[in-house]
Amino acid sequence: MRQLPALLTAALLLACQPVAAQEDCRLCSDESDQAKREKPLTIEISTNLNFARLALTGRNAASASIDPVTGEKRTSGDIVNLGGMAVTGTGRITGEPLRQVRIDLPPYIPMSSIDGRSAMLTDFTTSLPRNPTLNAQGELEFTFGARLVMKGGRGGNYRARIPISVDYN
């Protein structure tokens, strides 16, 4: 009978050791624990995309695009650039220093005017490098551009919200 308490004690000691070892095990940590410790990402858009003044000259398809690096506005189709300063969108991401991030822009965004006319924003581009990484202060600034497509010779003062999402890689 003396053997039973000794076996029971040994079994309890063996059962407790792995639990104590798991506290120090980095491989055993849950990913959600790491996510709770990392600084959340934020994105702030400080400048909106603006194509300035354009005029449609016919009823065929027309488009204008803004280059995110140079800010140059290009037109094609039945449209004329009436001047004004085209503006690239400007954004700033903050988060965990030196972490790679993924920025997702939509493939297209429908736009509308107050009088019900519609246009489309497509072909979003950014000034971001292939593997964007936050700097040592946890910041990353970028610019973005797109192509505005109008069909049927219907101009207007178009507006839309561009959903931009950011996540850690």
Side-chain angles (χ1 to χ4, degrees):
M1 282 296 213
R2 288 186 183 196
Q3 212 173 19
L4 184 60
L7 286 175
L8 199 57
T9 304
L12 287 174
L13 287 175
L14 288 175
C16 293
Q17 260 187 335
V19 173
Q22 282 182 355
E23 292 175 12
D24 296 330
C25 177
R26 291 183 184 175
L27 295 174
C28 301
S29 69
D30 187 6
E31 275 188 38
S32 61
D33 290 342
Q34 182 181 356
K36 290 176 188 174
R37 287 182 294 213
E38 67 189 16
K39 186 175 181 181
L41 285 167
T42 62
I43 184 166
E44 173 188 342
I45 303 301
S46 54
T47 308
N48 294 321
L49 192 59
N50 188 332
F51 287 85
R53 297 182 56 189
L54 302 165
L56 294 170
T57 59
R59 297 210 175 272
N60 296 321
S63 68
S65 61
I66 298 177
D67 183 274
V69 177
T70 65
E72 179 185 357
K73 178 172 58 174
R74 294 184 195 108
T75 59
S76 67
D78 287 352
I79 194 167
V80 174
N81 182 358
L82 294 178
M85 192 167 113
V87 179
T88 60
T90 305
R92 183 172 153 251
I93 300 166
T94 58
E96 194 73 29
L98 306 176
R99 290 283 308 270
Q100 281 190 0
V101 292
R102 181 183 68 249
I103 293 93
D104 292 319
L105 288 142
Y108 64 91
I109 294 292
M111 301 183 74
S112 60
S113 66
I114 294 173
D115 61 1
R117 297 178 183 194
S118 63
M120 188 76 63
L121 271 180
T122 65
D123 303 328
F124 287 92
T125 53
T126 71
S127 62
L128 292 165
R130 182 178 290 284
N131 296 310
T133 304
L134 302 178
N135 65 16
Q137 290 75 40
E139 300 175 349
L140 175 63
E141 292 188 6
F142 68 99
T143 56
F144 60 95
R147 187 166 71 108
L148 172 65
V149 179
M150 295 165 284
K151 295 180 181 176
R154 297 183 53 133
N157 187 9
Y158 298 108
R159 299 191 179 276
R161 292 192 180 268
I162 304 169
I164 302 173
S165 64
V166 62
D167 203 358
Y168 289 114
N169 264 350

